Amino acid sequence: MEKVYHTFGPVYFEDARVLILGSIPSPKSREIGFYYGHPQNRFWQVMEILFQCELRQKSIAEKTAFLKEKKIALWDVLQQCDIEGASDSSIRNPVPNPLEMIVHNAPIQAVFATGATAGKMYQKYCEEKVGMPCRILPSTSPANCRYTLAQLVEEYGEILKYL
């Protein structure tokens, strides 16, 4: 177990309509300082297909500009925890982020969690303060091989209803 701290801030804008939450950044995401940084994580690939654009090879600034244009906020449920590697199932001693900060500063219409652990942690630690339920989407992690890319795109297509 390693004590891990969220080392970079949320991405959100005053007109964001959708908030997408992971659990806590993976070691690779912490290394590069941005969300869904593992090259095998399919989050950015799913966004490319949904929005018919190129994202995986883009810089952090370009991905941030994309999120701003599409009115999507990104953050993680947890500010810190004890974890083994990137294994969400090993999370212990979670400390949540103040997610209500985003909802109180942007017209968020829907909250989505990228995976069961993020969803459960949100429900347990954040939902009451935020005042909105979250829809749990399948994880885009390379560890989640139950879902094909096409299935992930179909599931994540739900966010389009709120943009």
Side-chain angles (χ1 to χ4, degrees):
M1 286 283 194
E2 172 188 4
K3 180 163 287 301
V4 168
Y5 299 89
H6 206 298
T7 53
F8 47 93
V11 175
Y12 78 98
F13 310 94
E14 62 186 26
D15 61 347
R17 298 179 57 80
V18 167
L19 173 58
I20 300 176
L21 300 167
S23 54
I24 194 154
S26 69
K28 188 65 175 174
S29 292
R30 292 191 310 272
E31 178 186 317
I32 67 165
F34 202 64
Y35 299 90
Y36 307 101
H38 192 288
Q40 291 177 325
N41 189 299
R42 297 177 285 176
F43 179 83
W44 294 110
Q45 189 176 9
V46 168
M47 294 296 112
E48 285 181 341
I49 294 167
L50 283 177
F51 293 98
Q52 300 175 0
C53 63
E54 291 291 324
L55 289 167
R56 285 176 286 173
Q57 303 305 314
K58 299 292 185 182
S59 68
I60 291 170
E62 290 169 315
K63 288 176 181 173
T64 301
F66 161 82
L67 294 167
K68 179 175 177 46
E69 176 190 335
K70 300 304 180 190
K71 300 179 182 346
I72 298 171
L74 286 185
W75 207 4
D76 289 302
V77 175
L78 300 181
Q79 182 180 100
Q80 70 181 54
C81 67
D82 297 329
I83 190 170
E84 290 180 26
S87 172
D88 277 1
S89 64
S90 72
I91 290 175
R92 302 289 181 269
N93 305 313
V95 176
N97 272 314
L99 302 177
E100 64 276 9
M101 172 185 89
I102 291 178
V103 175
H104 295 159
N105 289 297
I108 299 295
Q109 301 297 304
V111 178
F112 294 90
T114 61
T117 300
K120 289 175 186 168
M121 297 265 182
Y122 175 87
Q123 290 165 344
K124 183 173 183 177
Y125 298 109
C126 305
E127 187 172 316
E128 186 176 322
K129 287 181 183 176
V130 172
M132 296 178 78
C134 76
R135 165 129 189 249
I136 300 173
L137 298 170
S139 173
T140 55
S141 164
N144 181 16
C145 53
R146 278 190 24 224
Y147 283 83
T148 66
L149 179 59
Q151 289 170 318
L152 288 173
V153 170
E154 183 177 337
E155 294 282 335
Y156 278 72
E158 184 71 19
I159 69 173
L160 299 176
K161 296 176 183 177
Y162 301 94
L163 300 176

Short mmCIF file of all heavy atoms in Angstrom, two decimals, residues 53-77:
data_model
loop_
_atom_site.label_atom_id
_atom_site.label_comp_id
_atom_site.label_asym_id
_atom_site.label_seq_id
_atom_site.Cartn_x
_atom_site.Cartn_y
_atom_site.Cartn_z
N CYS A 53 -13.08 13.34 -33.38
CA CYS A 53 -11.89 14.20 -33.39
C CYS A 53 -10.68 13.38 -32.92
O CYS A 53 -10.83 12.25 -32.50
CB CYS A 53 -12.11 15.39 -32.47
SG CYS A 53 -12.35 14.94 -30.74
N GLU A 54 -9.52 13.98 -33.01
CA GLU A 54 -8.28 13.34 -32.54
C GLU A 54 -7.94 13.89 -31.15
O GLU A 54 -7.96 15.11 -30.96
CB GLU A 54 -7.12 13.64 -33.49
CG GLU A 54 -7.24 12.96 -34.85
CD GLU A 54 -7.08 11.45 -34.76
OE1 GLU A 54 -6.28 10.96 -33.94
OE2 GLU A 54 -7.77 10.76 -35.52
N LEU A 55 -7.65 13.01 -30.20
CA LEU A 55 -7.31 13.47 -28.86
C LEU A 55 -6.11 12.75 -28.24
O LEU A 55 -5.36 13.37 -27.49
CB LEU A 55 -8.51 13.30 -27.91
CG LEU A 55 -9.67 14.25 -28.13
CD1 LEU A 55 -10.89 13.78 -27.37
CD2 LEU A 55 -9.28 15.66 -27.74
N ARG A 56 -5.95 11.48 -28.53
CA ARG A 56 -4.95 10.70 -27.80
C ARG A 56 -3.54 11.27 -27.92
O ARG A 56 -2.79 11.22 -26.97
CB ARG A 56 -4.97 9.24 -28.24
CG ARG A 56 -6.16 8.49 -27.67
CD ARG A 56 -6.23 7.08 -28.18
NE ARG A 56 -6.68 7.13 -29.56
CZ ARG A 56 -6.74 6.11 -30.38
NH1 ARG A 56 -6.34 4.93 -29.98
NH2 ARG A 56 -7.17 6.25 -31.61
N GLN A 57 -3.19 11.80 -29.06
CA GLN A 57 -1.84 12.33 -29.26
C GLN A 57 -1.74 13.82 -28.96
O GLN A 57 -0.70 14.43 -29.17
CB GLN A 57 -1.37 12.05 -30.69
CG GLN A 57 -1.39 10.58 -31.08
CD GLN A 57 -0.60 9.71 -30.12
OE1 GLN A 57 0.53 10.04 -29.75
NE2 GLN A 57 -1.17 8.58 -29.71
N LYS A 58 -2.81 14.40 -28.46
CA LYS A 58 -2.83 15.84 -28.19
C LYS A 58 -2.18 16.15 -26.84
O LYS A 58 -2.07 15.31 -25.96
CB LYS A 58 -4.28 16.36 -28.18
CG LYS A 58 -5.01 16.18 -29.49
CD LYS A 58 -4.43 17.06 -30.57
CE LYS A 58 -5.28 16.96 -31.84
NZ LYS A 58 -4.73 17.76 -32.92
N SER A 59 -1.76 17.40 -26.70
CA SER A 59 -1.15 17.87 -25.45
C SER A 59 -2.23 18.06 -24.38
O SER A 59 -3.43 18.07 -24.68
CB SER A 59 -0.45 19.21 -25.71
OG SER A 59 -1.42 20.22 -25.98
N ILE A 60 -1.78 18.25 -23.17
CA ILE A 60 -2.70 18.52 -22.07
C ILE A 60 -3.50 19.80 -22.36
O ILE A 60 -4.71 19.84 -22.16
CB ILE A 60 -1.95 18.62 -20.72
CG1 ILE A 60 -1.43 17.23 -20.33
CG2 ILE A 60 -2.83 19.21 -19.62
CD1 ILE A 60 -0.48 17.23 -19.15
N ALA A 61 -2.83 20.81 -22.88
CA ALA A 61 -3.52 22.07 -23.20
C ALA A 61 -4.59 21.84 -24.27
O ALA A 61 -5.70 22.40 -24.17
CB ALA A 61 -2.51 23.12 -23.67
N GLU A 62 -4.29 21.02 -25.25
CA GLU A 62 -5.27 20.75 -26.32
C GLU A 62 -6.45 19.92 -25.79
O GLU A 62 -7.60 20.16 -26.16
CB GLU A 62 -4.60 20.03 -27.48
CG GLU A 62 -3.64 20.93 -28.25
CD GLU A 62 -2.76 20.18 -29.23
OE1 GLU A 62 -2.22 19.11 -28.85
OE2 GLU A 62 -2.61 20.66 -30.37
N LYS A 63 -6.18 18.97 -24.92
CA LYS A 63 -7.26 18.18 -24.31
C LYS A 63 -8.12 19.08 -23.42
O LYS A 63 -9.35 18.96 -23.41
CB LYS A 63 -6.69 17.01 -23.51
CG LYS A 63 -6.13 15.90 -24.38
CD LYS A 63 -5.50 14.80 -23.56
CE LYS A 63 -4.93 13.72 -24.46
NZ LYS A 63 -4.16 12.73 -23.70
N THR A 64 -7.49 19.98 -22.70
CA THR A 64 -8.23 20.92 -21.86
C THR A 64 -9.12 21.82 -22.71
O THR A 64 -10.28 22.06 -22.36
CB THR A 64 -7.26 21.75 -20.99
OG1 THR A 64 -6.49 20.84 -20.18
CG2 THR A 64 -7.99 22.72 -20.10
N ALA A 65 -8.60 22.28 -23.83
CA ALA A 65 -9.39 23.12 -24.75
C ALA A 65 -10.59 22.33 -25.29
O ALA A 65 -11.69 22.87 -25.42
CB ALA A 65 -8.52 23.63 -25.89
N PHE A 66 -10.37 21.06 -25.60
CA PHE A 66 -11.47 20.19 -26.05
C PHE A 66 -12.55 20.11 -24.97
O PHE A 66 -13.74 20.27 -25.25
CB PHE A 66 -10.94 18.79 -26.38
CG PHE A 66 -12.00 17.73 -26.42
CD1 PHE A 66 -12.79 17.56 -27.55
CD2 PHE A 66 -12.22 16.91 -25.32
CE1 PHE A 66 -13.79 16.59 -27.58
CE2 PHE A 66 -13.21 15.94 -25.34
CZ PHE A 66 -14.00 15.78 -26.48
N LEU A 67 -12.15 19.87 -23.73
CA LEU A 67 -13.11 19.76 -22.63
C LEU A 67 -13.89 21.06 -22.46
O LEU A 67 -15.09 21.04 -22.24
CB LEU A 67 -12.39 19.37 -21.34
CG LEU A 67 -11.75 17.98 -21.33
CD1 LEU A 67 -10.80 17.83 -20.15
CD2 LEU A 67 -12.79 16.88 -21.34
N LYS A 68 -13.19 22.18 -22.57
CA LYS A 68 -13.86 23.49 -22.45
C LYS A 68 -14.89 23.65 -23.57
O LYS A 68 -16.04 24.04 -23.31
CB LYS A 68 -12.84 24.62 -22.50
CG LYS A 68 -13.49 26.01 -22.42
CD LYS A 68 -12.44 27.09 -22.34
CE LYS A 68 -13.01 28.49 -22.32
NZ LYS A 68 -14.12 28.73 -21.43
N GLU A 69 -14.49 23.35 -24.79
CA GLU A 69 -15.39 23.49 -25.93
C GLU A 69 -16.64 22.61 -25.77
O GLU A 69 -17.75 23.03 -26.08
CB GLU A 69 -14.66 23.11 -27.22
CG GLU A 69 -15.55 23.14 -28.45
CD GLU A 69 -14.88 22.55 -29.67
OE1 GLU A 69 -13.62 22.53 -29.75
OE2 GLU A 69 -15.61 22.08 -30.56
N LYS A 70 -16.46 21.41 -25.26
CA LYS A 70 -17.57 20.46 -25.12
C LYS A 70 -18.32 20.60 -23.81
O LYS A 70 -19.30 19.89 -23.57
CB LYS A 70 -17.06 19.02 -25.28
CG LYS A 70 -16.39 18.75 -26.62
CD LYS A 70 -17.31 19.08 -27.78
CE LYS A 70 -16.63 18.81 -29.11
NZ LYS A 70 -17.37 19.32 -30.24
N LYS A 71 -17.87 21.50 -22.94
CA LYS A 71 -18.53 21.76 -21.65
C LYS A 71 -18.49 20.56 -20.70
O LYS A 71 -19.46 20.23 -20.03
CB LYS A 71 -19.95 22.26 -21.86
CG LYS A 71 -20.05 23.54 -22.67
CD LYS A 71 -21.46 23.97 -22.87
CE LYS A 71 -21.69 25.20 -23.70
NZ LYS A 71 -20.65 26.08 -24.05
N ILE A 72 -17.33 19.91 -20.69
CA ILE A 72 -17.11 18.73 -19.85
C ILE A 72 -16.10 19.07 -18.76
O ILE A 72 -15.03 19.60 -19.04
CB ILE A 72 -16.58 17.54 -20.68
CG1 ILE A 72 -17.61 17.14 -21.74
CG2 ILE A 72 -16.22 16.36 -19.78
CD1 ILE A 72 -17.10 16.12 -22.75
N ALA A 73 -16.44 18.77 -17.52
CA ALA A 73 -15.53 18.91 -16.38
C ALA A 73 -14.99 17.53 -16.01
O ALA A 73 -15.72 16.54 -16.09
CB ALA A 73 -16.25 19.54 -15.20
N LEU A 74 -13.72 17.47 -15.64
CA LEU A 74 -13.09 16.22 -15.18
C LEU A 74 -12.49 16.44 -13.80
O LEU A 74 -11.85 17.46 -13.54
CB LEU A 74 -11.94 15.82 -16.11
CG LEU A 74 -12.21 15.24 -17.47
CD1 LEU A 74 -10.89 14.81 -18.12
CD2 LEU A 74 -13.17 14.09 -17.43
N TRP A 75 -12.68 15.45 -12.95
CA TRP A 75 -12.00 15.43 -11.66
C TRP A 75 -12.04 14.00 -11.18
O TRP A 75 -12.47 13.09 -11.90
CB TRP A 75 -12.67 16.38 -10.67
CG TRP A 75 -11.74 16.90 -9.60
CD1 TRP A 75 -10.39 16.68 -9.47
CD2 TRP A 75 -12.10 17.75 -8.51
NE1 TRP A 75 -9.90 17.36 -8.38
CE2 TRP A 75 -10.92 18.03 -7.78
CE3 TRP A 75 -13.30 18.31 -8.09
CZ2 TRP A 75 -10.90 18.83 -6.64
CZ3 TRP A 75 -13.28 19.13 -6.96
CH2 TRP A 75 -12.09 19.38 -6.24
N ASP A 76 -11.60 13.78 -9.97
CA ASP A 76 -11.65 12.47 -9.35
C ASP A 76 -12.37 12.59 -8.02
O ASP A 76 -12.33 13.64 -7.36
CB ASP A 76 -10.25 11.90 -9.15
CG ASP A 76 -9.61 11.50 -10.47
OD1 ASP A 76 -10.21 10.66 -11.17
OD2 ASP A 76 -8.53 12.02 -10.80
N VAL A 77 -13.01 11.52 -7.62
CA VAL A 77 -13.75 11.51 -6.36
C VAL A 77 -12.81 11.72 -5.19
O VAL A 77 -13.13 12.44 -4.25
CB VAL A 77 -14.56 10.20 -6.20
CG1 VAL A 77 -15.23 10.15 -4.84
CG2 VAL A 77 -15.59 10.06 -7.32
#
